[in-house]
């Protein structure tokens, strides 16, 4: 132990004697450690462990339904979950939840929030302990609930109730219903839906939820200790198959699976960012390796000048192992200092996703607070960085004989050919890694550009959208329809408004959308064919507001209400699939046994993602089929003859004129709302850009350092060359040639790495090939220019060497 402490004491003295080298090495490693730690913090807090405040959250997973048709329908029914809970031996608990908009309080003091309706065992399964009061007791569990109670979030308690400790036991109006607050959740707990900050939890009586076809809930299970997800899945599949046989009417073709939150269809930000963050993690690792390579070269250069010191210590009896340990101690001390310098930067970068979150009006929560796992990861990166940086110089120094070290030390510490080769190989590795990072950046930038320039199929410019959650004011479905019609009429009469409409969804918004099985009259379906088609309910004028071209037939009319014959409008892909592209107007479709007449056809557009391909889609009359907004709300659209931002006040004024308590949760330009469609690619491209700049700087500094050291070590040789008649241009070409050769070798090996690695990110790219020549050639050209610039200054320095002075110094 004393010997180790002595090594570190000696290492500290060595670092103090070379302050410039120490500062450069620490800052270099700090950038690499900060980059990798930042991405790991995002992966840990947003993907792998998003349930902050829950106990042993690694044992939590999602139970979701799986349809044989492939249509996304992850929600589960209460009746099925009751059977799963009773039958599964691999889980210790199962909870149900359903997100709902909420209005806390009344009148102008009402607070818009998002709550969850949950099973009474919600907090017990998650293992969340309240910071104030209690959670739900047995009277609030299961099939019955004898009272309406709520646990509110710490944020709601502080912001709306001003941290009043007497909140416990107080009756609060939530969605115009008296609810007693029994507890306050801990500050770190924001709910079970990654990316959304929930404000409260209310246990719901589940009596009457015996309809197995009513799959309205999301389910989270806690696995028993030692049980893997694969083992639990095998058991779940068996139970699901048994339910399909026992209840064929509702469960035929319905399976189930247990998945981590980041693999779940309703996994929120965890599922959205899982793949992009994986790419960023790999890119952060490349930056760390480049940083380590830079420090390795610095230490190699310093070890050359210390050969005489090592020779003397070896002659005095110091073993090669002790010398190696001494050099590794120095690199470990450098890495420790770098970790201390880089960790604050990593903590600051943790908030980057919050700054890039698009304005959607939802209570988004992208903050990834560092956990003990992040600190352990940083410590591990520190150790790995020290070994990568310190072992090559240690090996290079101790493998030389005492006599050679003493002789070389007497000849001005000239760098050996072997040492130059190692330094050159390190630079080649740096350039190849930087090349891979730059190609990846280029691919994502071109993909993002393609996404942002992809026509959405509708015109979102100068359109304002507002999401109304009228159910929070206890509106019935009929009252919601009446309110929406009145608001549309008032908006059409407002100055500056050219068109107005309403619907039950927003294109390119969040969520999986609504879908139904369709039975198209005259269409002969194939055995096992998936006839599930997504749809939306819209009002008259919807296609005018969004400038979606009507290709055949007519738009919906005010007369298309609940008393009129059922009608629908289809898109081009629907007509192509079911009618071979023929005019669909006048054809009939059965949905849930009801016969609809197609009255129009519109042009295809994007519905859920800019990268999606053409798909069948249909529209129903809002006034015919709307049965209450619930979680989706009602979306109001207004098109202006000027900038859409000016309509926000108009919308609020007209809503208040109808009902002062009807304020929407969001009023914003539609362009802002749909910017969420490229949030993941934009975050990835932004951070890859940061890592790309760091990579270029590190490569430039590393190559510059190698060339400067090479020139200084070859001063005598260059002096002799110039004394024998070599001109300055020849010396300049000689030095530049070596720098460019190292860069080209790095690019060549980088191309091989890229061709092997980039196919892995192909699913994340949009209309860009992983072998995109523009990205590859651009990265190669850019690094070649960087190599020339980094070598130019040492080359010019070499041309100014005076042969007489160089020979006298030797």
């Amino acid at each position: 132990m004393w010997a180790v402490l002595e090594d570190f004491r000696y290492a500290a003295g060595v670092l103090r004697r070379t302050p410039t080298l120490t500062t450069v090495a620490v800052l270099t490693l700090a950038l690499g450690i900060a980059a990798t730690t930042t991405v790991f913090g995002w992966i840990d807090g947003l993907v792998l462990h998003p349930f902050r405040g829950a106990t042993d959250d690694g044992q939590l997973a999602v139970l979701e339904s799986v349809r044989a048709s492939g249509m996304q329908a992850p929600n589960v029914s209460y009746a099925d979950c009751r059977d799963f809970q009773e039958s599964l031996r691999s889980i210790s608990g199962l909870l149900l939840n359903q997100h709902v908009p909420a209005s806390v309080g009344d009148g102008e003091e009402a607070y818009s929030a998002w709550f969850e309706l949950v099973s009474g065992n919600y907090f017990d399964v998650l293992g969340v302990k309240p910071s104030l009061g209690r959670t739900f007791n047995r009277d609030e569990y299961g099939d019955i609930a004898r009272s309406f109670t709520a646990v509110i979030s710490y944020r709601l308690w502080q912001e709306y109730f001003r941290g009043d400790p007497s909140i416990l036991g107080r009756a609060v109006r939530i969605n115009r219903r008296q609810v007693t607050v029994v507890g306050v959740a801990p500050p770190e707990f924001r709910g079970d839906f990654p990316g959304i900050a929930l404000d409260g939890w209310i246990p719901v009586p589940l009596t009457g939820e015996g309809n197995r076809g009513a799959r309205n809930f999301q389910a989270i299970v806690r696995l028993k200790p030692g049980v893997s997800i694969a083992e639990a899945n095998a058991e779940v599949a068996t139970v699901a198959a048994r339910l399909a046989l026992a209840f064929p009417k509702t469960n035929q073709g319905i399976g189930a699976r247990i998945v981590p939150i980041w693999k779940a269809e309703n996994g929120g930000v965890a599922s959205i960012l899982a793949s992009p963050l994986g790419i960023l993690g790999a890119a952060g690792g490349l930056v760390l390796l480049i940083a380590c390579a830079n420090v390795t070269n610095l230490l190699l250069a310093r070890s050359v000048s210390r050969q005489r010191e090592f020779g003397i210590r070896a002659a005095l009896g110091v073993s090669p192992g002790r010398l190696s340990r001494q050099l590794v101690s120095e690199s470990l001390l450098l890495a420790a200092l770098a970790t201390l310098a880089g960790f604050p930067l990593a903590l600051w970068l943790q908030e980057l996703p919050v700054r890039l979150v698009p304005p959607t009006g939802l209570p988004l929560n992208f903050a990834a607070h560092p956990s003990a796992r992040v600190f352990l990861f940083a410590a591990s990166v520190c150790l790995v960085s020290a070994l990568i940086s310190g072992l090559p110089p240690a090996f290079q120094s101790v493998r030389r004989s005492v006599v050679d070290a003493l002789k070389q030390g007497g000849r001005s510490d000239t760098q050996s050919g072997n040492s130059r080769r190692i330094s050159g190989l390190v630079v080649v590795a740096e350039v190849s890694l930087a090349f891979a990072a730059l190609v990846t950046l280029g691919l994502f930038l071109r993909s993002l550009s393609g996404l942002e320039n992809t026509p959405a199929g509708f015109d979102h410019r100068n359109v304002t959208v507002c999401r109304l959650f009228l159910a929070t004011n206890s509106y019935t479905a009929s009252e919601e329809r009446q309110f929406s019609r009145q608001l549309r009429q008032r908006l059409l009469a407002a100055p500056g408004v050219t068109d107005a409409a309403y619907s039950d969804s927003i294109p390119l918004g969040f969520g999986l959308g609504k879908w139904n099985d369709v039975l198209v009259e005259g269409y002969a379906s194939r055995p096992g064919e998936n006839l599930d088609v997504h749809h939306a309910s819209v009002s008259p004028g919807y296609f005018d507001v969004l400038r979606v071209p009507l290709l055949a037939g007519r738009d919906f009319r005010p007369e298309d209400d609940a008393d009129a014959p059922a009608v629908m409008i289809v898109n081009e892909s629907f007509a192509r699939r079911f009618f071979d592209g023929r005019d669909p107007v006048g054809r009939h479709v059965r949905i849930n046994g009801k016969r609809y007449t197609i009255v129009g056809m519109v042009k295809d557009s994007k519905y859920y993602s800019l990268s999606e391909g053409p798909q069948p889609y249909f529209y129903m009359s809002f006034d015919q089929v709307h049965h209450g907004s619930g979680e989706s709300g009602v979306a109001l659209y207004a098109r202006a003859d000027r900038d859409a931002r000016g309509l926000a006040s108009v919308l609020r004024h007209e809503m208040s004129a109808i009902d002062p308590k009807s304020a929407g949760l969001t009023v914003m330009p539609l362009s802002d709302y749909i910017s969420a469609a490229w949030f993941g690619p934009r975050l990835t491209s932004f951070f890859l850009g940061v890592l790309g700049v760091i990579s270029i700087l590190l490569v430039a500094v590393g190559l510059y350092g190698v060339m400067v050291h090479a020139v200084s070590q070859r001063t005598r040789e260059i002096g002799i060359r110039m004394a024998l008649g070599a001109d300055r241009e020849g010396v300049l070409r000689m030095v530049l040639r070596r720098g460019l050769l190292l860069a080209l070798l790095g690019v060549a090996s980088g191309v091989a790495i890229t061709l092997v690695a980039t196919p892995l990110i192909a699913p994340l790219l949009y209309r860009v090939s992983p072998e995109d020549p523009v990205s590859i050639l651009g990265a190669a050209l850019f690094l070649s220019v960087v190599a020339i610039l980094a070598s130019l200054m040492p080359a010019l320095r070499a041309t100014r060497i005076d042969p007489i002075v160089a020979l006298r110094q030797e």
Side-chain angles (χ1 to χ4, degrees), residues 137-158:
N137 58 37
R138 291 291 172 180
D139 290 339
E140 296 150 352
Y141 274 38
D143 293 344
I144 60 173
R146 299 191 178 93
S147 61
F148 289 100
T149 57
V151 173
I152 61 174
S153 71
Y154 192 88
R155 184 183 70 149
L156 182 64
W157 179 47
Q158 292 293 320

Side-chain angles (χ1 to χ4, degrees), residues 765-780:
L765 301 177
Y766 179 66
R767 293 185 178 178
V768 178
S769 168
E771 295 84 21
D772 176 47
V774 174
S775 300
I776 293 175
L777 292 176

